[in-house]
Amino acid sequence: KAGVTQTPRYLIKTRGQQVTLSCSPISGHRSVSWYQQTPGQGLQFLFEYFSETQRNKGNFPGRFSGRQFSNSRSEMNVSTLELGDSALYLCASSLDTGGVSYEQYFGPGTRLTVT
Amino acid sequence: GENVEQHPSTLSVQEGDSAVIKCTYSDSASNYFPWYKQELGKGPQLIIDIRSNVGEKKDQRIAVTLNKTAKHFSLHITETQPEDSAVYFCAASLNSGYALNFGKGTSLLVT
């Protein structure tokens, strides 16, 4: 079974631009979560989607948004990029049957560099 | 919110020795505690997890213990091998599909 895939793997953007990252979960997984990883703050939860609805949200500004499609694929968007947004963005998927949730499996991440 | 502290931040052991990494958490409502291994250039890989109704879980050379009263849990790796070298993260959550609150990580070096 294929794992979680994320595209692109690397991205360089300029301050003020916006960026969209994509995540394809493991087949059959309906929950997708996004995390930001930086050397200073570590791994921090951004948001989680299930059945195209945002179910949980972390403590990040409104510039960070996401969505989930009917096939469970997810995208996250960061608008008006700041230097501090440089990070590894990780997507994790989980088999969630709507009543019981399971382990989260991570993709390789998208390395975003803002210059 | 939940605060997870992880110690030590770096750990160096000789091949064949055991390694222990400890984590404490603050929210008594947390009931799911996974451990992840992250190698350079890769995403975190789930290696073992434990739920609050279990005190200990073992998988070959890896074991995790949980003390809910003291709000701490530990990862034990026995007979360490060079390929165990990586950064290890503990996490706590209200449920396995909910937001994971991570510790800052432990860089393990096996020589």
Side-chain angles (χ1 to χ4, degrees):
Chain A
K1 193 179 246 190
V4 178
T5 58
Q6 293 187 244
T7 56
R9 292 293 312 277
Y10 302 92
L11 208 47
I12 300 175
K13 289 287 188 179
T14 304
R15 268 182 305 175
Q17 289 185 317
Q18 73 165 16
V19 66
T20 299
L21 312 181
S22 181
C23 171
S24 292
I26 293 171
S27 177
H29 285 197
R30 298 166 62 189
S31 169
V32 174
S33 298
W34 288 88
Y35 294 81
Q36 181 195 65
Q37 185 175 25
T38 60
Q41 299 300 315
L43 281 150
Q44 293 185 288
F45 171 75
L46 281 156
F47 29 66
E48 184 243 349
Y49 287 85
F50 175 75
S51 288
E52 302 178 65
T53 300
Q54 187 181 89
R55 192 163 61 174
N56 292 294
K57 187 178 189 304
N59 189 25
F60 277 81
R63 299 185 298 107
F64 292 82
S65 62
R67 60 176 175 170
Q68 186 180 34
F69 302 95
S70 58
N71 61 358
S72 294
R73 191 176 70 83
S74 177
E75 290 181 347
M76 70 162 281
N77 183 278
V78 187
S79 62
T80 318
L81 284 165
E82 301 177 359
L83 294 179
D85 296 333
S86 294
L88 181 67
Y89 289 89
L90 292 157
C91 167
S93 76
S94 172
L95 175 65
D96 189 322
T97 60
V100 181
S101 52
Y102 299 83
E103 302 80 9
Q104 294 186 35
Y105 296 92
F106 283 84
T110 294
R111 172 72 62 185
L112 172 64
T113 301
V114 182
T115 62
Chain B
E2 174 68 276
N3 181 44
V4 178
E5 294 195 356
Q6 183 172 346
H7 299 281
S9 56
T10 61
L11 181 58
S12 184
V13 300
Q14 293 202 325
E15 185 177 353
D17 287 350
S18 295
V20 180
I21 303 171
K22 298 182 179 182
C23 289
T24 61
Y25 61 98
S26 61
D27 190 344
S28 56
S30 290
N31 59 13
Y32 176 66
F33 309 91
W35 286 88
Y36 287 86
K37 173 184 180 183
Q38 188 174 26
E39 296 173 312
L40 205 59
K42 297 184 178 180
Q45 175 195 359
L46 179 67
I47 56 172
I48 196 168
D49 59 7
I50 193 167
R51 299 172 195 271
S52 60
N53 58 347
V54 176
E56 184 174 356
K57 184 176 178 180
K58 190 173 181 180
D59 182 5
Q60 299 183 333
R61 298 186 296 108
I62 294 173
V64 58
T65 59
L66 170 65
N67 183 327
K68 282 226 76 177
T69 303
K71 289 191 279 189
H72 67 71
F73 55 113
S74 301
L75 177 71
H76 304 252
I77 305 174
T78 58
E79 300 172 20
T80 54
Q81 302 166 4
E83 50 265 39
D84 293 329
S85 297
V87 179
Y88 291 80
F89 292 94
C90 64
S93 155
L94 293 178
N95 202 339
S96 54
Y98 284 69
L100 294 173
N101 298 282
F102 284 90
K104 292 294 187 185
T106 295
S107 180
L108 172 65
L109 179 64
V110 182
T111 57

